Amino acid sequence: SLRSYYHRWSVECVWMRQYDKAKEYIDKMLNEKIDGQSCEACELNLLSQAEEEIAVFSRILDDYENNKDLISENDILWKYKWICGAAFDVPEVSQSQIDAILEDFKIRTLRNGYSARAYYHLLFLHYNRMRQYDLAKEYADKMLSEKLDDMMCEACELNLLLDYYLETGQFDEAYSRAQPLINKQVTCYEANLRAYLKLSYYAQKAGKPEVAADMCARAEEALQGREKDEYLLLYLGLFIAYNIMTKPERGWEYAERCIGWSLRTNTLKKYRFSCDMVEALKYETRPEVSLSLPEEFPLYRPDGIYQVSELRNYFYQQAEELALRYDARNGNSGYMDRLKQLMSN
């Protein structure tokens, strides 16, 4: 079929940022029959929204069941793990649906000879985001008791452990555990950078400015050449906060870039970035700032002069609206609690 042909052209259009044309080719690609030249897991990488990834991956699972001679189940399990995470990101996916997805993922990984480590990693991630830290720690312990195999990235796993220790106020423990990431004993495309970004902020908050400055320098070096990596939005917010504490103009340089990204990102990144900007803006002592922001930004001003209080209120309202949607799905107040804590500190 023409599926792989349309896939190649859609990739080319994405690289050229011709998104309307890319979407046209993606639609054509998905209407073609799968064949031996198709890599459906690779096709998912074209999609930026979690909802789109989930919808397309459901087709992949259907195609696997109907074409087991063409698709190896083992080949789609890594992407399935990412899709489980994407399900957490979409508040319209119910908790019962998440439970069913996770159970199906566990069954498939176990029957392909993997341990349950990736399954417990996902549960650890989900409950850590909900700030149910007792349950998160329980699943972290179960994760670590399982065999480390090819379904897990050790560097990414360590990053999630850092999130737990940093968010529960255990900076020294987090910094100690982060040493393999800091010294690049374990690596991943983004994991080491993620560690530097968040450790900059948390070290400064913990009263360790020398450590914060060291992490900042490492982050700046690692960010070179990644000026268009919009997925970093999930991690750059706290780095903006650190810089506004210490070098406000540098912080606003990053903010200008990220605010544009936040207008077209997925729900989770929009929520976390909005929370982080609520935190960052409380360190700006000037009443107004001069920024170059895209015209589609709701508070856009042709003169580029923005009131800091209005920006903070905008990001608070956006974070609040999204937090309430997540909390309604999760049946607790974890996402709203995160925002309230930022406002009270």
Side-chain angles (χ1 to χ4, degrees), residues 195-207:
Y196 305 148
L197 292 170
K198 57 195 171 191
L199 284 169
S200 301
Y201 165 79
Y202 279 104
Q204 187 72 17
K205 293 282 283 186

Side-chain angles (χ1 to χ4, degrees), residues 82-256:
W82 298 342
I83 292 301
C84 291
F88 303 157
D89 297 354
V90 182
E92 290 72 27
V93 177
S94 70
Q95 185 60 50
S96 61
Q97 289 173 313
I98 287 174
D99 292 341
I101 292 169
L102 288 174
E103 183 63 24
D104 184 60
F105 171 75
K106 181 175 73 169
I107 290 170
R108 292 175 188 269
T109 52
L110 292 178
R111 77 184 177 202
N112 279 274
Y114 297 104
S115 73
R117 193 172 181 120
Y119 168 74
Y120 288 126
H121 172 89
L122 289 164
L123 287 168
F124 176 26
L125 169 66
H126 190 37
Y127 285 100
N128 201 63
R129 286 182 180 174
M130 287 192 285
R131 298 171 68 85
Q132 294 189 2
Y133 293 122
D134 289 345
L135 271 174
K137 184 62 165 62
E138 177 183 329
Y139 286 120
D141 291 341
K142 289 182 177 180
M143 173 187 77
L144 295 172
S145 71
E146 294 281 337
K147 180 185 175 183
L148 180 64
D149 54 35
D150 290 342
M151 276 302 297
M152 287 300 303
C153 167
E154 188 176 0
C156 294
E157 180 181 281
L158 184 50
N159 245 298
L160 180 54
L161 286 165
L162 292 190
D163 287 341
Y164 168 79
Y165 287 110
L166 291 170
E167 291 177 18
T168 54
Q170 303 178 68
F171 176 81
D172 290 340
E173 179 69 19
Y175 185 61
S176 174
R177 287 176 176 264
Q179 292 307 307
L181 286 168
I182 294 169
N183 298 317
K184 298 183 179 179
Q185 294 168 274
V186 294
T187 60
C188 180
Y189 178 71
E190 66 174 42
N192 305 80
L193 173 56
R194 284 164 56 190
Y196 305 148
L197 292 170
K198 57 195 171 191
L199 284 169
S200 301
Y201 165 79
Y202 279 104
Q204 187 72 17
K205 293 282 283 186
K208 301 178 184 292
E210 296 85 2
V211 173
D214 177 38
M215 293 300 103
C216 176
R218 293 170 187 263
E220 291 277 9
E221 181 181 2
L223 283 166
Q224 295 299 313
R226 298 190 181 187
E227 289 78 9
K228 296 182 180 180
D229 285 5
E230 298 185 17
Y231 71 88
L232 291 172
L233 185 68
L234 193 61
Y235 320 114
L236 278 169
L238 290 180
F239 193 58
I240 291 171
Y242 165 74
N243 276 283
I244 290 182
M245 284 186 231
T246 58
K247 298 169 293 207
E249 293 306 320
R250 186 61 171 154
W252 284 111
E253 288 176 17
Y254 282 113
E256 282 182 327

Side-chain angles (χ1 to χ4, degrees), residues 25-89:
Y25 281 120
I26 288 171
D27 290 341
K28 289 180 179 180
M29 174 187 76
L30 295 175
N31 285 328
E32 290 288 328
K33 184 178 184 295
I34 186 171
D35 56 34
Q37 301 301 312
S38 304
C39 174
E40 291 195 286
C42 295
E43 291 169 3
L44 277 173
N45 291 322
L46 290 166
L47 306 174
S48 61
Q49 296 296 330
E51 295 91 338
E52 294 174 338
E53 287 192 293
I54 293 168
V56 174
F57 193 77
S58 68
R59 298 189 199 181
I60 289 178
L61 289 180
D62 287 342
D63 281 341
Y64 164 72
E65 296 299 336
N66 296 322
N67 299 276
K68 292 185 178 181
D69 57 328
L70 295 175
I71 306 172
S72 167
E73 184 177 49
N74 187 64
D75 290 343
I76 65 174
L77 288 178
W78 252 97
K79 197 62 185 183
Y80 200 173
K81 185 173 74 168
W82 298 342
I83 292 301
C84 291
F88 303 157
D89 297 354

